[in-house]
């Protein structure tokens, strides 16, 4: 986990989330996190997403719509 300490707390624009150790381990092993609920975009709308590292950057993966 000490390989990427900046992953433990993410702040980007208006969304923020405290990653658990399980989330960090998943990201470092090339997997995505569990579904994280309650992110807010710049306009204040809430959304849910998984996080994954793609091409060296942290990215959102959105769940399939029902």
């Amino acid at each position: 986990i000490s390989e990427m300490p900046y992953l433990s707390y993410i702040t980007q624009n208006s969304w923020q989330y405290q990653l658990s150790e399980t989330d960090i381990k998943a990201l470092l092993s090339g997997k995505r996190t569990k579904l994280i609920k309650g992110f807010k975009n710049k306009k204040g709308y809430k959304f849910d997403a998984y996080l994954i590292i793609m091409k060296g950057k942290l990215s959102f993966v959105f769940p399939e719509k029902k």
Side-chain angles (χ1 to χ4, degrees):
I1 294 178
S2 62
E3 298 170 39
M4 300 177 109
Y6 62 89
L7 283 178
S8 65
Y9 189 75
I10 301 168
T11 302
Q12 172 88 20
N13 299 323
S14 61
W15 57 268
Q16 52 185 281
Y17 177 74
Q18 179 74 39
L19 289 175
S20 69
E21 188 172 326
T22 304
D23 291 332
I24 295 170
K25 286 180 180 179
L27 289 170
L28 293 176
S29 65
K31 299 176 183 173
R32 66 185 186 185
T33 63
K34 66 184 182 303
L35 181 63
I36 300 170
K37 297 184 177 193
F39 284 119
K40 287 185 183 179
N41 68 14
K42 290 180 183 181
K43 293 184 178 182
Y45 296 107
K46 288 187 177 184
F47 64 95
D48 304 332
Y50 303 94
L51 294 176
I52 192 165
I53 296 176
M54 297 166 95
K55 299 180 183 178
K57 295 184 178 183
L58 198 58
S59 301
F60 291 114
V61 175
F62 297 100
E64 293 182 26
K65 293 184 179 182
K66 295 178 182 180

